[in-house]
Amino acid sequence: MEAALGQQEWGRAAEFLSPDIRYVVGGQEPRYGIAGIRDYMAAQSAVVEWVGHDLLASVETADMVVIEVISRFCRVSDRRPLALPCTDIYRFGDGVIRDWRVYADLAAIGLGRPE
């Protein structure tokens, strides 16, 4: 799913997601559906390019996966590399992700909570 999102293959990414997925990044307002994820990713890509992540830990239950990563970015303005600690929580229903929470300090990449 993340590879599809990183390559902006929205149709392929949508196969892993509920049509009404709730997507929350940091303290920002929730976004819904693949369109909400796409809108957030477009805003993020204007500031930083996602390079990938280093998996630190992963915990799985029957309907949830929690991953801890170091997300790696390259800042668009000066090409400076950034490493951002991040925890994602994926909650599943009917075999797809229904709720996706991203816990990270977005101020580090210039995407804090909108006023």
Side-chain angles (χ1 to χ4, degrees):
M1 182 229 10
E2 287 192 7
L5 289 172
Q7 297 165 3
Q8 298 183 10
E9 294 178 4
W10 307 113
R12 187 166 64 106
E15 295 173 17
F16 300 93
L17 309 170
S18 167
D20 60 348
I21 184 172
R22 182 174 191 250
Y23 180 61
V24 182
V25 181
Q28 297 192 0
E29 294 297 319
R31 291 168 173 84
Y32 295 92
I34 191 73
I37 294 171
R38 184 179 55 234
D39 291 348
Y40 173 80
M41 301 256 172
Q44 177 180 284
S45 294
V47 179
V48 292
E49 295 172 7
W50 183 68
V51 176
H53 61 243
D54 302 326
L55 181 65
L56 301 176
S58 178
V59 177
E60 185 175 336
T61 69
D63 63 351
M64 182 175 63
V65 173
V66 179
I67 63 167
E68 179 188 10
V69 299
I70 300 296
S71 287
R72 303 213 174 269
F73 297 93
C74 181
R75 191 164 48 201
V76 171
S77 64
D78 61 4
R79 308 306 299 162
R80 179 177 169 228
L82 300 169
L84 182 67
C86 181
T87 299
D88 285 34
I89 300 174
Y90 304 98
R91 289 187 174 89
F92 291 83
D94 299 323
V96 294
I97 301 169
R98 300 192 63 73
D99 188 87
W100 179 6
R101 311 285 175 108
V102 179
Y103 294 97
D105 179 6
L106 299 179
I109 60 173
L111 290 172
R113 185 181 176 110
E115 298 301 320

